[in-house]
Amino acid sequence: RAAEWQLDQPAWSGRLRITAKGSTAFIKLEDKTSGELFAQAPVEQFPGIAVEGVTDSSRYFVIRIEDGNGRRAFIGVGFVDRGDAFDFNVALQDHFKWVRQQSELARQAQDLEQGPKLDLGFKEGQTIKLNIANMKKKEGAAGNTRPRPAGPGGLSLLPPPPGGKSGSGERPASLPTPARLPGTPITDSLLSWPQPTAAPAADVWGDFAKASG
């Protein structure tokens, strides 16, 4: 019980820090000015005998300090502020929660290593079957493509136009003879093409007949 302690006359006052090395947490009591270590309590399990709360207050604890030479002692510590006592508890809980998680991960990894391993290698005489039907279909479609026969001079022969008759001796109707304009003879040696229907000579020349020269 903290009420049995001489709370008005503490034997020592300073600051408290919690550090960790591996899975062990260390409660360190240090001088609040110089930081010199007064005592420390290694904690390997929480809750445990290394740190215990009192029965009549949430701000006071009993911790087991060690000097590194095998000597141990139990002392009472307390916090002036209740929030600091809460942070003290949470810091220890978080550390050992992390320790448990690491232990669980290590155990799962060990189980995986010891479990049967999946062998994906080929056994002697073992074969696999690949479905290449689509590949064969594409290759066959490409092989059926044949070039069109070429005529003399490398020109491709095209099929007759719709409605045409091959070998019947009939010739397509010739294009109408282009209209001849007065004074503009068209010889057979010139290339002719369909011309628009010409108007009467008088309309074609129009006012040009009246121009001088």
Side-chain angles (χ1 to χ4, degrees), residues 16-28 40-52 61-66 72 88-89 91-93 95-96 99:
L16 182 149
R17 289 195 309 133
I18 297 178
T19 63
K21 183 177 181 181
S23 61
T24 304
F26 293 88
I27 301 174
K28 296 186 176 184
Q40 72 174 359
V43 183
E44 298 179 352
Q45 184 179 357
F46 182 79
I49 193 174
V51 181
E52 293 182 286
F61 304 86
V62 176
I63 64 175
R64 184 183 62 185
I65 60 175
E66 299 182 8
R72 299 175 177 178
F88 173 76
N89 262 316
L92 291 174
Q93 291 173 2
H95 170 72
F96 287 99
V99 170

Side-chain angles (χ1 to χ4, degrees), residues 16 50 71 81 97:
L16 182 149
R71 294 186 300 178
D81 186 79
K97 180 180 179 181

Side-chain angles (χ1 to χ4, degrees), residues 108-178:
Q108 292 178 1
Q110 185 177 4
D111 292 342
L112 291 176
E113 292 179 356
Q114 294 178 354
K117 296 183 179 180
L118 183 60
D119 185 9
L120 300 178
F122 284 98
K123 305 297 187 296
E124 184 178 356
Q126 184 178 5
T127 60
I128 61 174
K129 182 179 180 181
L130 298 178
N131 185 4
I132 56 175
N134 293 334
M135 297 175 60
K136 289 183 178 180
K137 184 176 180 181
K138 291 181 179 179
E139 292 177 357
N144 292 334
T145 303
R146 297 181 179 178
R148 294 179 178 179
L155 298 177
S156 299
L157 300 179
L158 300 178
K165 298 180 180 180
S166 60
S168 61
E170 296 181 4
R171 299 177 60 187
S174 59
L175 297 175
T177 304

